[in-house]
Amino acid sequence: MENTLFTGVNILDCTGAEPYPGEVLVEGKRITAIARGTDKLPRDNSDVIEGGGTATLMPGLIESHAHLSIDNVDDLASIGMIPPEENTLIAMRNAAFYLDCGITSCISAAASKARMDVVIRNAINKGEIAGPRLLAASPWLTVTGGLGDMRTLHMPDISSMALMADGPEEFRRLTRELIREGVDIIKLVISGDTFVPHAPSDSTVMSEAEVAAAAEVVHAHGKRMSAHARSADSVKLAVKHGVKVIYHANFADEEAIDMLEANKDWVFVSPNIGFTATAAYEGSEWFTEEEVVELGFREELEGAAKGLQELRRRGIRILGGGDYGFFVTPHGDNAKDLGHLIKYCGFTPMEALQSMTKHGGAAMDLPNELGQIQEGFLADLLLVDGDPLAEPEVLLDRDKLIAVMKDGQFHKQSK
Ligand SMILES: [Zn+2]
């Protein structure tokens, strides 16, 4: 295989160090050598990519809460209604689009059908379709009446995107079945949500016995869990039962934050403030001023930002991206979260970038292989016309992504 040498680039390695000029050599799937300053690397058998001294080379973005099979919808019911054939095409198209946007890895946060992420992941891994490195999730598992249960008494058979289960035995069976079908991640909905009138965000709707039953099966099979956990008790249940990626955590209280801190070597928080931040301050297209106030988006954002600053202060790793694929948060806007973390949560630009690179790599269980530019790491790289540290929004402009590489192969390369 031909090697690739990037020269004349500013290397933003996302280790936390300041960018530096240099060269990066890619052989096969991996970064094999890095030169700093005016040092030169051997260029035999290499395709030489010239950055002209101004382009930035950085790791590909890692989305921690992906929904590739959801198509920018404005209601949850339509996700269940769409037939699997059409839905598969949507997921395929979004997978390729994520690479176009510089997102080279995704931790799925729920698929719309039991096998949807699994077949997309397998096709990507075989090289049959374009798409990011993907951890495949189940549809989200919810209790009767929880987020995404679209059934009513007179229409009990209506399709829901969520899979409903009640009691530990049902959670055990469903978890086993989904693992049999090949998912990497079982997604639990432990808390309520703003959009569920009878189960608001600060309520905890799954019982501990149900969480424990799913966890027992997941751990026995060496798989992983993620959880929609807004309420304080849901965060505590998630930590107690080994949920690696905790979504939202916006009502985490002191005890929950203490538990997260005590387990910070393996647990990650993905706040997914994109929807809330956009709805709170940039949402006039979708919400009237009265609705913004009534739905409490600004208070929710303020509360989440306060909690996040505390988590950050205590060294809990925060993951960026999240819940893109809905009307307020269309696919491709994922890197907006960098700006949200900086603007509303007091993150430095470097901390924000690391939430979608270095920490994402660790959350994918590849802390020494993914999400940084270091020798030996996987060559998932972006060549950017600009400086994402000074101007993170440059990553939202696909024309500024000169090259997108995954596993040492160019997905995109404009000359
Ligand atoms: Zn989600």
Side-chain angles (χ1 to χ4, degrees):
M1 188 193 289
E2 198 164 272
N3 304 330
T4 304
L5 180 83
F6 293 94
T7 184
V9 293
N10 289 309
I11 301 167
L12 172 57
D13 62 18
C14 290
T15 60
E18 285 301 309
Y20 57 91
E23 296 192 333
V24 171
L25 179 65
V26 174
E27 294 179 90
K29 290 170 132 184
R30 292 185 189 267
I31 297 163
T32 53
I34 300 170
R36 287 173 180 260
T38 53
D39 286 0
K40 296 285 172 215
L41 294 169
R43 41 244 303 136
D44 311 339
N45 307 319
S46 292
D47 186 9
V48 177
I49 309 294
E50 176 56 63
T54 53
T56 301
L57 189 70
M58 65 172 284
L61 297 174
I62 301 172
E63 165 62 57
S64 66
H65 185 129
H67 291 304
L68 295 177
S69 49
I70 300 181
D71 206 25
N72 301 337
V73 297
D74 62 2
D75 71 311
L76 290 179
S78 64
I79 306 167
M81 296 300 196
I82 184 165
E85 295 83 355
E86 281 86 343
N87 208 165
T88 308
L89 294 177
I90 288 168
M92 264 177 75
R93 198 185 64 218
N94 284 332
F97 181 58
Y98 269 42
L99 276 187
D100 296 341
C101 297
I103 300 163
T104 51
S105 292
C106 287
I107 299 174
S108 177
S112 57
K113 308 276 188 291
R115 299 183 64 251
M116 184 63 68
D117 274 353
V118 172
V119 298
I120 295 293
R121 177 201 63 198
N122 293 351
I124 292 169
N125 289 349
K126 283 188 207 154
E128 293 169 351
I129 63 170
R133 198 180 293 286
L134 176 65
L135 288 178
S138 65
W140 68 64
L141 273 56
T142 200
V143 294
T144 291
L147 179 66
D149 177 5
M150 308 316 293
R151 300 169 301 179
T152 58
L153 273 184
H154 70 293
M155 289 192 291
D157 297 323
I158 199 165
S159 294
S160 297
M161 172 202 174
L163 296 174
M164 280 67 71
D166 292 290
E169 286 312 318
E170 283 189 25
F171 271 92
R172 214 173 264 125
R173 184 196 54 75
L174 194 50
T175 302
R176 286 186 178 133
E177 191 173 272
L178 291 161
I179 290 173
R180 180 191 71 201
E181 295 307 315
V183 302
D184 301 306
I185 304 166
I186 295 291
K187 165 81 181 282
L188 304 177
V189 177
I190 307 179
S191 78
D193 194 81
T194 318
F195 294 101
V196 189
H198 46 274
S201 290
D202 57 358
S203 65
T204 305
V205 292
M206 269 184 82
S207 69
E208 175 157 11
E210 289 167 334
V211 176
E216 174 197 312
V217 176
V218 165
H219 296 317
H221 288 270
K223 301 294 177 186
R224 54 155 74 198
M225 284 178 291
S226 64
H228 172 97
R230 290 189 179 278
S231 67
D233 283 346
S234 67
V235 174
K236 294 171 203 171
L237 284 178
V239 178
K240 184 172 170 193
H241 293 283
V243 173
K244 186 182 290 251
V245 176
I246 298 179
Y247 294 121
H248 310 300
N250 48 314
F251 286 103
D253 59 13
E254 194 61 24
E255 191 186 2
I257 293 173
D258 286 346
M259 284 177 75
L260 288 166
E261 185 181 14
N263 292 279
K264 66 183 176 185
D265 57 327
W266 62 266
V267 79
F268 296 84
V269 172
S270 173
N272 318 138
I273 56 168
F275 192 102
T276 315
T278 309
Y281 292 107
E282 303 151 33
S284 57
E285 205 181 306
W286 310 285
F287 300 104
T288 62
E289 182 62 25
E290 292 81 66
E291 282 169 329
V292 169
V293 172
E294 197 186 317
L295 290 165
F297 289 126
R298 288 181 193 144
E299 285 113 81
E300 189 178 317
L301 179 63
E302 213 175 289
K306 233 172 99 191
L308 270 179
Q309 281 168 26
E310 184 60 13
L311 293 175
R312 166 173 162 265
R313 199 182 64 74
R314 302 215 206 166
I316 293 137
R317 287 169 291 180
I318 307 293
L319 304 178
D323 260 343
Y324 287 84
F326 294 94
F327 64 123
V328 175
T329 52
H331 291 297
D333 277 3
N334 310 55
K336 269 192 177 176
D337 269 14
L338 299 171
H340 294 144
L341 288 173
I342 296 165
K343 188 169 173 189
Y344 301 117
C345 306
F347 279 48
T348 66
M350 181 65 83
E351 287 169 334
L353 280 166
Q354 285 182 310
S355 78
M356 292 190 81
T357 54
K358 181 183 175 179
H359 300 328
M364 290 191 77
D365 287 335
L366 296 168
N368 300 312
E369 288 184 85
L370 189 67
Q372 299 172 56
I373 298 183
Q374 294 208 61
E375 286 176 11
F377 273 59
L378 290 160
D380 285 11
L381 298 168
L382 308 181
L383 186 63
V384 186
D385 177 14
D387 177 3
L389 203 52
E391 203 189 350
E393 59 275 19
V394 71
L395 294 170
L396 287 163
D397 183 351
R398 271 175 283 144
D399 293 337
K400 300 275 187 188
L401 297 178
I402 306 165
V404 177
M405 176 179 264
K406 186 191 125 197
D407 266 337
Q409 303 271 344
F410 283 110
H411 168 72
K412 170 186 174 181
Q413 185 189 0
S414 30
K415 293 270 178 184

